[in-house]
Amino acid sequence: MARRKKIYEGKAKVLYEGPEPGTLVQYFKDDATAFNAEKHDVVEGKGVLNNRLSEFFMTGLNAIGVPTHFIKRINMREQLIRSVEIIPLEVVVRNVAAGSMSKRLGIEEGTALPRPIIEFYYKDDALGDPLVTEEHIIAFGWASQQDLDDMVALALRVNDFLSGVMMAVGIKLVDFKIEIGRIWENDFMRLIVADEISPDSCRLWDMKTGQKLDKDVFRRDLGNLADAYTEVARRLGVLPSNVTHATKPTLIN
Ligand code: UDP
């Protein structure tokens, strides 16, 4: 069998050429990175969990009319997606102060924000993904004013959907990051949600205990990352309760 063509390899995922034009296969790795890849580890089973969770969130978004790149899951680690031209911005939505916002503005982590706050970061590892304003985005041609309006609308719809889904299982959506891409249909360009939505790109706190169920477990050495993601998947009904993150074959005597 011919080896399929690798299009791009990132920190947590690999993109391969898809079976049809305009499609790609997105493979989820077990690699966990933080602090611009200064901290790196392999967390067994993380890729399987994120593939499932991203499928779950993107399928839900598609169902309520928020367009995403997700077409279908292929296997444990791979999904078929639409090929997009990624806008070089990370779009962060915050409901509660945490992480870099708490640090930058001196707001205690856990402080509820008066309204969802949207931030844009320019995707450039060499620069450490700096915070940018709409002025920079338009002046440097990363996106137009119309794109920005559409991105804000998409981000807020994703926030409403994800907040509701998580609240229903006792989890507070503190903040999250999405990436957005362009697709062309005939002469028209549309923006759709791309990349992934998973505990790698969200902050998720248990509503009762405040326990962190997201990548901060890895960033801050708070315990086993796969256990935290498995708990999110279990509550959402994405994994049967008796399935753990073990992916190795088990010998049955
Ligand atoms: N985030 C992400 N990728 C990044 C940076 C941030 O997915 O490269 C997510 C992060 O998991 C959190 C939100 O975006 O849910 C806001 O992150 P923040 O700006 O607080 O940065 P951090 O504290 O993670 O450096």
Side-chain angles (χ1 to χ4, degrees), residues 11 33-36 90-94 96-104 109 119 121 123 125 128-129 131 173-179 195-196 198-204 214-216 219-220 229:
K11 286 173 270 205
T33 61
F35 313 118
N36 208 358
E90 302 200 329
V91 183
V92 168
V93 183
R94 302 178 184 275
V96 175
S100 73
M101 180 196 228
S102 289
K103 227 188 233 167
R104 185 179 303 112
E109 279 211 327
E119 297 172 340
Y121 293 83
K123 267 168 69 75
D125 283 342
D129 296 345
L131 180 68
L173 178 67
V174 171
D175 58 30
F176 66 93
K177 183 263 311 188
I178 52 171
E179 296 188 22
D195 190 52
E196 72 177 285
S198 75
D200 267 6
S201 52
C202 301
R203 282 200 170 88
L204 304 170
D214 56 57
K215 208 163 95 175
D216 276 345
R219 291 191 193 95
R220 304 179 187 188
Y229 289 17

